Amino acid sequence: GILGGDVGDVIVNVMTDLFPMYAYFTEKRRHSPEPPVAYTTEPADPSLVRDALAPEEAELVVTLYRFLNLQGFRIAPEMLYNVYLCLKTKPFMMLAGISGTGKSTVIRLIAEAINGTDQGQALGYRLIPVRPGWHDVRGLLGFENLLTGLFRPGALLQALLAAQANPDRPYFVCLDEMNLARVEHYFADFLSILETARRVPNGEWTTDQVVLAQGRERVEAEGLGEIVSQMSIPSNLFVVGTVNMD
């Protein structure tokens, strides 16, 4: 029974029934060479990250697993598979655990595996340390400087704009140590908009609008020039929060 010694078999059977790709992924991993072979696979099509399960996704997950191993990062294949499924299901995911277990590292390596690097930095990845003094969304999206009249963009807004400018590349934002500030104060508004993600009749993803300024179509942003004051969250932006449980 479930309370006996067959818990592992029950979990495998359930996962196999729910996700046919799981069996394929497990079979591929079982026959993959050890130590992992050199990473030569071309970056995967980013659209696979959000669209329906496809056979190619099994190869993507296996490729990610091999790449992480080559980087010296050890993760249970089932856990990596679950991370991938969570990113497909929702554009926001939480990773909780004790300090130093690689919560932010795994997201950075996934971005690096898919997008590559530039001068040693993972492309399509932004680490945002949460500040204890954040009391509203301005810490993430930015605010208008009343003295200069310019909008000072936050790190999350910069990542959002970068994702919009490169729709064929997945962008991963890691909010590190989210529990250092009151999440309901600085993240609730943005999370509510993330939850409105939906497909429109033409098949594209959209969300409700992120509003930077009321009553204006455009704002002048420091270092960015003019940007629209209202925008939807692009479908290729994925937000991952980490929480330390020390």
Side-chain angles (χ1 to χ4, degrees):
I2 293 181
L3 297 180
D6 299 327
V7 176
D9 292 338
V10 171
I11 293 175
V12 170
N13 290 335
V14 170
M15 292 295 291
T16 302
D17 291 339
L18 291 176
F19 306 107
M21 190 178 75
Y22 180 79
Y24 181 57
F25 166 62
T26 304
E27 185 69 16
K28 280 284 186 180
R29 177 172 56 84
R30 184 177 298 116
H31 291 94
S32 64
E34 292 291 344
V37 298
Y39 181 71
T40 57
T41 305
E42 291 297 320
D45 182 356
S47 66
L48 294 176
V49 180
R50 285 295 296 273
D51 290 338
L53 283 172
E56 293 86 355
E57 289 180 296
E59 293 292 345
L60 171 60
V61 177
V62 170
T63 299
L64 291 175
Y65 177 69
R66 289 175 176 171
F67 181 82
L68 266 62
N69 271 270
L70 284 172
Q71 302 305 309
F73 186 88
R74 296 295 181 260
I75 183 173
E78 294 79 7
M79 184 174 294
L80 178 61
Y81 178 68
N82 286 336
V83 168
Y84 177 76
L85 285 179
C86 288
L87 289 172
K88 277 181 57 66
T89 305
K90 289 284 186 180
F92 175 66
M93 177 179 68
M94 292 285 295
L95 295 176
I98 62 175
S99 300
T101 51
K103 298 182 291 297
S104 58
T105 301
V106 67
I107 302 303
R108 175 179 60 79
L109 290 176
I110 289 175
E112 184 175 325
I114 297 175
N115 298 323
T117 61
D118 181 21
Q119 297 182 352
Q121 301 296 315
L123 295 171
Y125 173 77
R126 187 69 177 262
L127 178 68
I128 304 178
V130 172
R131 306 300 184 188
W134 285 357
H135 301 295
D136 53 42
V137 75
R138 290 182 297 176
L140 288 174
L141 294 181
F143 60 92
E144 186 172 12
N145 188 324
L146 298 179
L147 296 178
T148 64
L150 298 177
F151 190 89
R152 178 172 294 178
L156 181 55
L157 176 61
Q158 294 177 38
L160 189 155
L161 293 172
Q164 283 186 334
N166 298 276
D168 293 330
R169 168 179 289 170
Y171 276 75
F172 301 89
V173 171
C174 183
L175 299 178
D176 199 28
E177 298 192 60
M178 290 190 70
N179 50 327
L180 288 184
R182 298 287 294 272
V183 177
E184 64 271 25
H185 289 172
Y186 71 87
F187 194 63
D189 291 344
F190 189 82
L191 180 59
S192 295
I193 297 174
L194 270 177
E195 293 293 329
T196 67
R198 60 195 180 277
R199 285 193 184 274
V200 292
N202 66 2
E204 295 181 355
W205 284 86
T206 189
T207 67
D208 289 353
Q209 299 290 298
V210 175
V211 179
L212 304 178
Q214 298 284 354
R216 286 177 290 169
E217 293 185 359
R218 308 183 72 83
V219 294
E220 186 75 20
E222 294 180 7
L224 299 175
E226 276 197 352
I227 60 175
V228 295
S229 63
Q230 299 186 31
M231 64 195 74
S232 61
I233 301 172
S235 62
N236 59 324
L237 180 69
F238 301 89
V239 182
V240 180
T242 71
V243 176
N244 287 336
M245 306 294 289
D246 297 342

